[in-house]
Amino acid sequence: SAQIADLQQKLLDADNGDRAKQRWDSIATILEAKCALKYLLGELVSSKVQESKLQSSLEQGKATCSDVHRMLIEERNHVTEMEAEFQNQLVVQEQQHQEKVKHKSWK
């Protein structure tokens, strides 16, 4: 089944190649050549416009990714700062608690 599908695809590809060659071989006049050239140039321009749009989209995507990455780093730094502050507060409270315990035990 896979071999049959592969052979069918090869035949289609060969047929398309033959058709393209036949189309070029069938151009017999300057007018036909001009029309073919005009069509190909139109396709080229269309392709270049599409490439430009895709490039622009890619650049915009990269910029967005960079912004998100920067925001992620900022958030990580903020969380790290908050954790450090929490640890400092915990140490202070622990020290205060120890002082209260010692003070009560002296009485």
Side-chain angles (χ1 to χ4, degrees), residues 33-52:
K34 283 182 180 180
C35 288
L37 202 52
K38 185 177 179 180
Y39 171 78
L40 289 174
L41 287 174
E43 288 296 306
L44 177 63
V45 168
S46 176
S47 170
K48 288 291 186 181
V49 167
Q50 184 66 21
E51 178 189 15
S52 178

Side-chain angles (χ1 to χ4, degrees), residues 1-58:
S1 177
Q3 288 177 335
I4 291 171
D6 186 44
L7 286 173
Q8 287 175 334
Q9 186 60 47
K10 286 180 182 178
L11 286 172
L12 285 174
D13 291 344
D15 190 37
N16 287 337
D18 287 345
R19 273 194 233 147
K21 185 176 183 322
Q22 286 173 357
R23 283 187 192 128
W24 284 111
D25 289 345
S26 69
I27 294 176
T29 66
I30 296 287
L31 183 60
E32 289 174 344
K34 283 182 180 180
C35 288
L37 202 52
K38 185 177 179 180
Y39 171 78
L40 289 174
L41 287 174
E43 288 296 306
L44 177 63
V45 168
S46 176
S47 170
K48 288 291 186 181
V49 167
Q50 184 66 21
E51 178 189 15
S52 178
K53 287 179 182 177
L54 288 172
Q55 186 67 32
S56 176
S57 178
L58 175 63

Side-chain angles (χ1 to χ4, degrees), residues 62-105:
K62 284 180 179 179
T64 300
C65 182
S66 179
D67 289 345
V68 169
H69 187 255
R70 180 185 42 78
M71 287 171 46
L72 177 62
I73 289 171
E74 288 173 1
E75 287 301 315
R76 282 182 180 164
N77 290 340
H78 182 67
V79 167
T80 301
E81 290 171 6
M82 290 175 62
E83 286 176 341
E85 179 64 27
F86 176 73
Q87 287 298 328
N88 287 339
Q89 289 176 0
L90 198 60
V91 167
V92 168
Q93 287 181 357
E94 181 66 29
Q95 288 172 347
Q96 288 173 351
H97 177 72
Q98 291 296 331
E99 288 175 10
K100 284 181 184 178
V101 168
K102 286 180 183 177
H103 184 67
K104 285 183 180 179
S105 66

